Amino acid sequence: MTQPTTLKNGLNALLAPEESVLILIDHQPFQFANLHSHEPTMIVNNVIGLAKAANVFNVPTILTTVVEDRGGKLIKGLQDVFPDQKPIDRTWINTWEDARVVDAVKKTGRKKIVMAALWTEICLAMPAIHAAGEGYDVYAVTDASGGVSAEAHEMAVRRMVMAGVVPINWLAVASEWQRDWARQDSSKALGPILVDHAGATGTSFAWELQLLGQKAGAGA
């Protein structure tokens, strides 16, 4: 078995869109019903922001659910980001044991996997640790994931770190993908996502855009 290759520092330890693939796991009503590590609406906001960012940077995104007939369909706001994609519906609790998901990742040819899931201690930790053990660099988006308790979430993050998985939040992922504000095509597309999903940062950014618009109008 190939050992993990995760780099702990240096430029190559940062995410780049052309090297990344995103897996979003089990953001379904049943999973949200027993989510107690975070305010559920925050996870909804963050995972949708993450998904929209992936779209901006053309990062291949794999959607997956577990036993959809019982757990419910993927939440609408997330499905709406990828309206034509049907999530892979699994019976495997560990997503990385479902060959369809693994094959989808392999087809991208990318080695940096960004993951978010409900719940952290099960549906995120299991595939993250498994994939890291097969040589992938795995980044766990902790604020687009959540567990049945704060303790469960925290212990899962600690366990993943011990296995070489890198914890990160969704805004950091988007920022590493952007890397340089001079990249105007993506920065213009990322702006509205920040306004809608980045909380106080988005509010401040919206205010800045408003001021810029007023100055442009005054100078016309």
Side-chain angles (χ1 to χ4, degrees):
M1 180 179 293
T2 304
Q3 292 301 308
T5 59
T6 302
L7 298 173
K8 301 299 184 184
N9 50 46
L11 186 61
N12 288 335
L14 302 181
L15 289 165
E18 64 274 10
E19 299 173 343
S20 302
V21 56
L22 175 64
I23 308 177
L24 299 177
I25 303 167
D26 302 350
H27 291 85
Q28 301 166 255
F30 180 87
Q31 306 296 93
F32 276 101
N34 199 28
L35 173 64
H36 298 291
S37 62
H38 299 74
E39 168 56 46
T41 55
M42 187 186 80
I43 302 299
V44 170
N45 173 80
N46 294 348
V47 74
I48 293 174
L50 176 63
K52 289 179 178 179
N55 250 355
V56 165
F57 294 102
N58 297 313
V59 173
T61 301
I62 299 162
L63 307 175
T64 181
T65 54
V66 63
V67 194
E68 182 185 276
D69 288 344
R70 293 168 58 187
K73 295 182 181 296
L74 197 70
I75 55 171
K76 184 178 184 301
L78 184 52
Q79 183 68 74
D80 286 348
V81 181
F82 307 98
D84 299 324
Q85 183 178 159
K86 181 175 175 55
I88 296 171
D89 192 41
R90 315 176 324 276
T91 58
W92 287 102
I93 297 173
N94 175 9
T95 296
W96 205 250
E97 290 188 79
D98 191 304
R100 295 170 297 171
V101 176
V102 177
D103 288 346
V105 171
K106 287 181 178 178
K107 284 179 182 178
T108 70
R110 302 176 180 211
K111 299 296 288 184
K112 292 183 184 290
I113 303 176
V114 181
M115 287 187 187
L118 299 180
W119 301 312
T120 317
E121 64 273 24
I122 300 172
C123 299
L124 180 58
M126 292 171 73
I129 293 168
H130 191 166
E134 294 188 354
Y136 288 88
D137 294 331
V138 183
Y139 297 74
V141 189
T142 58
D143 66 345
S145 308
V148 298
S149 68
E151 179 183 10
H153 178 80
E154 181 184 352
M155 293 304 106
V157 173
R158 290 189 189 185
R159 183 185 179 198
M160 287 186 284
V161 169
M162 291 173 65
V165 176
V166 179
I168 193 169
N169 69 9
W170 86 267
L171 194 53
V173 172
S175 298
E176 290 188 21
W177 284 340
Q178 176 63 38
R179 198 73 64 83
D180 184 352
W181 289 119
R183 297 171 178 170
Q184 293 190 6
D185 288 344
S186 55
S187 64
K188 287 178 181 178
L190 189 60
I193 299 172
L194 299 181
V195 170
D196 290 343
H197 297 281
T201 299
T203 302
S204 298
F205 186 57
W207 175 69
E208 183 181 356
L209 291 176
Q210 184 178 11
L211 288 179
L212 289 172
Q214 290 172 353
K215 289 180 180 177

